[in-house]
Amino acid sequence: MDAQKKKLVVLTGAGISAESGIATFRDANGLWEGHDVMEVASPQGWQKNPELVLDFYNQRRKNAHTVKPNAAHEALADLEKDFDVRIITQNVDDLHERAGSTNVIHLHGKLFESRSTLDPSLVYPIEGWELKKGDKCERGSQLRPNIVWFGEAVPMMEVAIAETLQADIFLVVGTSLVVYPAAGLVDYVDHEVPIFVVDPNLPSIRVRPNLHRYEEKASTGMEKVAKLLREKYK
């Protein structure tokens, strides 16, 4: 019988999806696909112009249908053969699931879901890519994207913290670690637990033992990390 698999907890961000062709959250000007993020990713933006917000996420969905998981997504899914992998992602796309990962926590919501504006517990899958004005929940209120916007609570944060506290190995892929509270997860990693960081622009993490940095894109960095994890920790 196999020894119990080590728990590998992975925090992923926009960088891992960027290689598949999904635009990163914002460019140097703070714009997201030409929009001020507060116009399309805040409760105030929704109140002011729901049609703009609906159209914005419809376009994101349309784009997401045209892309595929890349080598980094596939490497993480493949690691489930040797580790108990828990992915905590800041991404709203479904590329981890499409690559085959079976334990994915979406901190910032899911692009292919809508939810009631009246009752947040009423969540529905979105077939295709369009969510329109007039699409309503069973209680008669307008549906909105099931996305955690700026200024809103992150309901899956407690679950993510609980997983992080139990990690035997912690891996950070494709995130700048500037968006909180997600970025704060690193502070919950036990001091003795090895941390691996893969990003072409390495985020600043407090110096600690067992910190391994790979200054490269997710696909090539993950190939190296996966190999090392199997050699050293399997």
Side-chain angles (χ1 to χ4, degrees):
M1 193 167 122
D2 289 347
Q4 192 176 12
K5 291 178 179 176
K6 284 193 164 57
K7 182 169 226 174
L8 170 62
V9 179
V10 188
L11 175 64
T12 69
I16 194 169
S17 293
E19 284 188 67
S20 288
I22 289 183
T24 51
F25 188 75
R26 46 183 144 174
D27 60 23
N29 299 318
L31 298 178
W32 191 11
E33 297 282 300
H35 294 282
D36 181 309
V37 292
M38 298 309 282
E39 286 179 5
V40 293
S42 73
Q44 294 84 357
W46 172 253
Q47 293 294 332
K48 182 180 165 190
N49 194 341
E51 287 90 350
L52 172 68
V53 176
L54 288 169
D55 180 62
F56 178 80
Y57 289 99
N58 285 343
Q59 297 310 315
R60 305 287 74 70
R61 255 178 248 111
K62 202 173 184 180
N63 175 50
H65 275 304
T66 68
V67 304
K68 293 178 179 173
N70 61 58
H73 294 105
E74 287 160 0
L76 287 171
D78 196 54
L79 280 167
E80 287 191 18
K81 293 173 184 170
D82 301 302
F83 298 90
D84 176 11
V85 182
R86 305 300 164 110
I87 293 174
I88 302 165
T89 188
Q90 298 171 80
N91 301 334
V92 297
D93 61 65
D94 60 353
L95 292 175
H96 282 301
E97 289 89 344
R98 282 162 57 189
S101 290
T102 58
N103 294 299
V104 185
I105 297 164
H106 285 268
L107 286 180
H108 296 154
K110 296 182 180 182
L111 187 60
F112 289 97
E113 287 182 352
S114 64
R115 80 170 194 248
S116 166
T117 46
L118 188 66
D119 180 353
S121 70
L122 295 176
V123 175
Y124 308 88
I126 295 174
E127 304 299 335
W129 57 271
E130 214 169 1
L131 180 64
K132 300 190 286 288
K133 194 88 191 284
D135 289 345
K136 296 183 176 176
C137 76
E138 63 208 58
R139 294 180 61 185
S141 77
Q142 173 65 39
L143 291 171
R144 57 163 274 183
N146 189 23
I147 304 289
V148 177
W149 289 329
F150 286 102
E152 293 185 324
V154 182
M156 294 304 291
M157 196 63 199
E158 294 303 318
V159 178
I161 289 169
E163 293 288 2
T164 301
L165 289 168
Q166 295 172 24
D168 295 310
I169 308 155
F170 195 79
L171 171 57
V172 178
V173 186
T175 173
S176 55
L177 293 180
V178 296
V179 177
Y180 281 82
L185 282 171
V186 180
D187 298 328
Y188 290 92
V189 181
D190 186 275
H191 196 62
E192 300 303 314
V193 167
I195 295 182
F196 293 81
V197 184
V198 179
D199 198 272
N201 304 300
L202 286 172
S204 61
I205 292 183
R206 199 164 46 238
V207 176
R208 51 182 285 151
N210 283 323
L211 178 61
H212 311 268
R213 301 166 184 263
Y214 293 77
E215 194 169 355
E216 51 191 296
K217 62 184 183 179
S219 55
T220 56
M222 272 310 305
E223 186 182 350
K224 293 173 185 174
V225 170
K227 185 171 182 286
L228 191 147
L229 290 177
R230 288 191 168 102
E231 287 170 358
K232 193 169 179 183
Y233 300 102
K234 185 178 161 185

